[in-house]
Amino acid sequence: MTITLTKADMVEHLFDELGLNKREAKDLVEMFFEEIRDALETGNHVKLSGFGNFMLRDKTQRPGRNPKTGEEIPVTARRVVTFRPGQKLKQRVEEYGSSGA
Amino acid sequence: MTKSEIIDILSRKQSHLSSRDVESSVKLLLDKMSESLSSGGRIEVRGFGSFSLHHRAARKGRNPKTGDQVALPPKHVPHFKPGKELRERVNESRATHPIQD
């Protein structure tokens, strides 16, 4: 079974490690993700050293298909977020090896 | 935007917390997230996105300097899938906010 980390676990972690109260910890976790969204929403890349970079890309319109019906529909131009893991995270994850997941 | 800029913004907005606590919190969050992924887990944050591991099969590579063939073991790489809110907010800002370098 895969273990999933959620915001509730993060709140618990800040409570355990730093002694922030639950309210403060919850606000901080919420605001952390909101600041990243906000930066990306205003056209800024977000670089978190040791973890990775959230990068923005503008994609032009391209031909696409409805995979069910085979009908051709254009994929409209859009802006997307991509995540590029940092060297440190990549290394740590690689060490998890080839089993599982 | 960088990690230290996020810490600065959060410290200003959470003025009842010391900037040291805010800095520790951000570092603890990112460490916790890295640790979760490197032990084979997932991360799910509603409205932001989810992180999981993707498997890469073993392959033969070459040492770019010597041209010697080397066997590369199977490994996992971190993968991020943006959540609905993040996807929509980023895409909607396309017209008003050019991507900054």
Side-chain angles (χ1 to χ4, degrees), chain B:
Chain B
M1 186 168 78
T2 62
K3 187 166 28 178
S4 56
E5 286 167 340
I6 294 189
I7 292 168
D8 287 347
I9 296 170
L10 293 180
S11 302
R12 271 204 306 278
K13 293 191 175 171
Q14 293 288 84
S15 52
H16 58 286
L17 293 179
S18 71
S19 52
R20 234 178 90 201
D21 276 350
V22 173
E23 181 175 357
S24 307
S25 298
V26 168
K27 290 183 172 162
L28 282 166
L29 283 180
L30 291 170
D31 276 350
K32 187 75 184 167
M33 290 166 71
S34 298
E35 182 195 296
S36 163
L37 289 172
S38 41
S39 57
R42 298 170 46 82
I43 305 167
E44 282 178 16
V45 180
R46 181 162 311 175
F48 183 79
S50 59
F51 296 86
S52 60
L53 298 186
H54 279 188
H55 186 255
R56 294 280 177 269
R59 63 188 179 89
K60 292 200 167 62
R62 280 185 191 282
N63 179 327
K65 271 194 194 127
T66 62
D68 290 347
Q69 210 175 55
V70 284
L72 298 171
K75 63 173 184 180
H76 284 97
V77 292
H79 177 78
F80 175 66
K81 184 169 187 284
K84 187 163 182 275
E85 185 192 339
L86 177 60
R87 265 197 332 262
E88 288 176 354
R89 282 173 60 179
V90 159
N91 191 41
E92 280 158 15
S93 70
R94 193 161 53 96
T96 48
H97 293 82
I99 297 175
Q100 312 286 315
D101 284 318

Side-chain angles (χ1 to χ4, degrees), chain A residues 15-66:
Chain A
F15 171 77
D16 290 343
E17 293 289 319
L18 279 184
L20 297 189
N21 70 47
K22 292 281 171 78
R23 181 79 250 166
E24 293 168 334
K26 189 167 182 285
D27 287 350
L28 206 57
V29 168
E30 203 64 63
M31 286 174 78
F32 172 71
F33 291 106
E34 179 54 22
E35 288 308 325
I36 299 176
R37 278 190 297 246
D38 191 63
L40 292 168
E41 191 181 17
T42 50
N44 295 287
H45 306 297
V46 176
K47 300 184 175 182
L48 304 174
S49 66
F51 187 73
N53 299 342
F54 295 92
M55 309 296 286
L56 294 166
R57 293 179 71 148
D58 282 328
K59 318 264 265 187
T60 53
Q61 177 173 314
R62 62 185 169 85
R65 274 179 194 286
N66 179 329

Side-chain angles (χ1 to χ4, degrees), chain A residues 1-16:
Chain A
M1 199 196 74
T2 312
I3 294 166
T4 303
L5 180 73
T6 64
K7 278 196 292 195
D9 301 318
M10 298 180 198
V11 169
E12 195 62 36
H13 188 59
L14 295 186
F15 171 77
D16 290 343

Side-chain angles (χ1 to χ4, degrees), chain A residues 64-88:
Chain A
R65 274 179 194 286
N66 179 329
K68 273 194 196 127
T69 62
E71 184 194 355
E72 271 197 62
I73 343 168
V75 178
T76 53
R78 63 193 60 197
R79 178 173 293 174
V80 296
V81 180
T82 59
F83 175 68
R84 301 198 49 190
Q87 200 52 41
K88 208 163 123 195

